[in-house]
Amino acid sequence: MTKTEPTRWQEAPVELPIREERPAPRPVPGCPECARLGQLRKAAGMEGDGTTVVDCNILLRMHGTGH
């Protein structure tokens, strides 16, 4: 059985496109669900809970399609 030296080379790094930040969705005035999500997002932001902020943004974007 012959041992072979492993191939050693470095591949060029993968270049990803720059992802631009999307503006935060705005609650629709007069909609109680939008107001609730907006308040929850604000409270989460003040507590440093980025996960809940992102979740609220997603729900606001999805909910906005029903207006």
Side-chain angles (χ1 to χ4, degrees):
M1 187 182 250
T2 308
K3 290 186 175 181
T4 60
E5 186 67 25
T7 305
R8 297 172 195 255
W9 69 86
Q10 182 173 356
E11 296 180 10
V14 175
E15 292 189 32
L16 300 175
I18 295 175
R19 184 175 175 184
E20 295 183 24
E21 289 293 322
R22 292 172 67 177
R26 293 188 208 170
V28 174
C31 174
E33 182 63 10
C34 283
R36 184 186 75 78
L37 289 169
Q39 290 171 350
L40 179 60
R41 178 178 64 184
K42 183 177 180 179
M46 291 172 60
E47 293 177 11
D49 182 0
T51 302
T52 301
V53 170
V54 170
D55 289 347
C56 288
N57 285 341
I58 292 169
L59 291 170
L60 278 166
R61 282 189 184 98
M62 289 172 46
H63 175 72
T65 59
H67 290 271

